[in-house]
Amino acid sequence: MYQRKNYANSPLIFHIDVNSAFLSWTAVDLLNKNPKRIDLRTIPSAIGGDINSRHGIISARSIPAKKYGIQSGESVVNALKKCPSLVVVPTNFELYKHYSKLFIDILRSYTPYVQQVSIDEAYCDFTDLYDMYKDLVKDNLTYPLSLAHEIKDTIYSKLGFTVNVGISTNKLLAKMASDFTKPNRVHTLFEEEISQKMWPLPINELHGCGKSTSLKLTSLGIKTIGDAAHTDLEVLCSILGEKHGNYIYYSSNGINTSAVSSSKRIAKSYSSERTMPSNLTIDNYDSDIQNIIQHLSQNISRRMIKDNAYASTIGITLKTNHFKTHSTQTSLLISTNDSNVIYSTAIDLVNKELLGESGLFMKGDTIRLVGIFATNLDNGDYRQLSLFDLF
């Protein structure tokens, strides 16, 4: 697997796409209500329409359903002819909005620069954030793959569905990468990989190349993305017009200048948490906890500074090996967004919660998740001055 080397100073964009979103979210919801039922994702199933009235259109289907040739957009009637045992579940947009929000909330816990482009996909900008996530690097998984796998696995462990993550230096290539082999995969498509990974693909697989455009190009012998990349720009413009010709030429060469546009939202609180690769115990506590709390504090601080937000309450959340959640918080005399203040406050709370006389370690518990939250926000206009601020 390709490992990018110049991660610290290069633009870094992720495209994250939920695998079979409507079906996955429905399956997760049904399993949450009844863990003993069959997972829709493991049987021929589909979303859309009504199996009793046999009306409606298929909007999503499982991988087993795809083996019967069932396609999104075809009628329920035709789908049932192909697979009479097909399980069809009606659409539920309120459910989809619920899981979409949870999905986006997790992405925003990693970076404030998130652009949601549909209910089940988003771009994330991680440019210049290497220092926040360098501790995720492993011997067999270097940055940014380590971060992508962390996000992908966190979404699955917390929400129960899988995503694909595409990584590159711009949105176009990240989107192309996320569309490679599915499900539950991480792919890169950096500039030096374009000739190997993108150019051999059919021209209709170029993101933004519509059906009529691809048919026109194919009829003229431009069959692959690589063919388009090596066709003179003026020739493409004469075939497609200036606007479309320019798009096909530059996109097929991996050139895209569109920035991740994250809409500003008013936060009620900021939080960041980390699931341990192995449970935190009293034996490995001292060596691990400081790095974890520092990382989480920096994550929260960076997002608060960007939003010009200050918190007067800092809290911590701990989840034990028994899946019980323990939270505690404290109020500050002066609201803050300083990572050092957040860190020192959080580490004191964690020490008391774990190492106190009735602490969790004293009870024999181990810790599988550590989180920090900052709340009771203001914009800094009414912050109380300390004596030292006057000098």
Side-chain angles (χ1 to χ4, degrees):
M1 183 180 287
Y2 174 78
Q3 307 285 314
R4 185 160 177 80
K5 297 178 181 179
N6 299 321
Y7 42 72
N9 301 311
S10 299
L12 188 63
I13 308 298
F14 287 11
H15 180 264
I16 305 178
D17 187 12
V18 180
N19 300 135
S20 303
F22 291 177
L23 186 81
S24 293
W25 292 337
T26 302
V28 168
D29 186 62
L30 293 173
L31 287 170
N32 285 339
K33 293 174 180 176
N34 180 9
K36 294 182 179 180
R37 71 166 292 140
I38 296 176
D39 188 335
L40 290 178
R41 293 167 291 188
T42 65
I43 62 172
S45 62
I47 302 295
D50 186 336
I51 193 169
N52 295 318
S53 65
R54 299 171 70 87
H55 290 309
I57 299 297
I58 299 296
S59 59
R61 76 276 197 220
S62 65
I63 291 176
K66 293 178 184 180
K67 296 177 181 179
Y68 287 86
I70 295 170
Q71 302 291 328
S72 294
E74 75 172 306
S75 68
V76 172
V77 173
N78 285 341
L80 289 169
K81 288 179 180 177
K82 295 177 180 177
C83 179
S85 63
L86 183 71
V87 175
V88 180
V89 182
T91 54
N92 184 342
F93 288 107
E94 289 303 314
L95 179 71
Y96 308 152
K97 286 193 291 184
H98 169 73
Y99 279 102
S100 177
K101 180 183 183 303
L102 296 178
F103 163 59
I104 296 299
D105 283 346
I106 285 181
L107 300 186
R108 287 195 172 114
S109 74
Y110 285 93
T111 173
Y113 312 113
V114 177
Q115 179 183 357
Q116 185 173 6
V117 291
S118 72
I119 197 169
D120 61 348
E121 61 177 320
Y123 293 100
C124 297
D125 192 339
F126 286 98
T127 304
D128 297 328
L129 298 185
Y130 167 67
D131 286 341
M132 287 180 60
Y133 296 111
K134 60 185 178 182
D135 63 314
L136 296 176
V137 172
K138 301 175 182 177
D139 291 339
N140 62 338
L141 205 59
T142 62
Y143 188 84
L145 291 170
S146 55
L147 173 58
H149 279 276
E150 157 86 6
I151 294 172
K152 176 179 72 69
D153 295 344
T154 296
I155 290 170
Y156 182 73
S157 65
K158 289 187 176 182
L159 302 180
F161 55 83
T162 64
V163 299
N164 260 42
V165 184
I167 309 172
S168 192
T169 55
N170 66 47
K171 289 166 67 175
L172 169 76
L173 294 179
K175 167 65 176 173
M176 293 289 297
S178 71
D179 284 336
F180 292 161
T181 312
K182 297 182 178 183
N184 199 29
R185 300 288 293 274
V186 172
H187 298 284
T188 61
L189 183 54
F190 292 112
E191 181 180 350
E192 54 268 42
E193 299 178 291
I194 289 174
S195 60
Q196 175 190 355
K197 292 185 176 182
M198 189 171 84
W199 280 352
L201 299 175
I203 187 62
N204 66 300
E205 293 190 22
L206 177 65
H207 179 60
C209 181
K211 184 177 181 180
S212 60
T213 299
S214 63
L215 289 174
K216 186 179 292 186
L217 292 173
T218 301
S219 70
L220 295 173
I222 303 172
K223 298 180 179 180
T224 68
I225 297 176
D227 292 337
H230 293 95
T231 300
D232 189 89
L233 174 59
E234 292 185 1
V235 173
L236 289 174
C237 288
S238 68
I239 297 170
L240 304 172
E242 184 175 355
K243 180 179 179 180
H244 289 94
N246 273 284
Y247 178 82
I248 295 299
Y249 178 79
Y250 288 108
S251 296
S252 63
N253 280 285
I255 300 170
N256 177 267
T257 58
S258 176
V260 172
S261 175
S262 53
S263 58
K264 186 178 178 65
R265 59 175 195 159
I266 301 174
K268 295 182 179 180
S269 65
Y270 293 82
S271 63
S272 186
E273 57 188 35
R274 171 67 58 82
T275 300
M276 304 294 104
S278 58
N279 283 7
L280 194 67
T281 69
I282 195 167
D283 294 326
N284 62 13
Y285 175 73
D286 288 335
S287 61
D288 290 347
I289 196 64
Q290 291 184 1
N291 289 334
I292 294 168
I293 297 299
Q294 184 177 54
H295 163 77
L296 299 177
S297 300
Q298 290 173 346
N299 191 339
I300 290 175
S301 173
R302 186 184 295 268
R303 290 152 53 203
M304 292 179 68
I305 290 171
K306 179 179 181 296
D307 292 346
N308 192 37
Y310 296 80
S312 57
T313 299
I314 303 297
I316 56 104
T317 299
L318 303 170
K319 186 176 288 187
T320 71
N321 53 309
H322 302 298
F323 293 90
K324 291 184 178 180
T325 300
H326 300 261
S327 294
T328 186
Q329 63 187 45
T330 188
S331 297
L332 306 177
L333 292 175
I334 305 171
S335 61
T336 188
N337 57 16
D338 187 302
S339 64
N340 292 323
V341 176
I342 297 171
Y343 168 81
S344 61
T345 306
I347 199 73
D348 285 346
L349 291 173
V350 169
N351 285 336
K352 290 177 183 177
E353 191 71 10
L354 294 180
L355 301 175
E357 289 184 8
S358 58
L360 296 176
F361 282 161
M362 302 302 108
K363 297 176 182 179
D365 290 338
T366 60
I367 304 302
R368 66 186 312 271
L369 178 145
V370 177
I372 300 176
F373 60 88
T375 188
N376 288 337
L377 305 179
D378 62 70
N379 61 7
D381 289 344
Y382 304 102
R383 296 177 68 229
Q384 241 182 331
L385 293 176
S386 73
L387 209 53
F388 298 103
D389 290 328
L390 299 175
F391 299 95

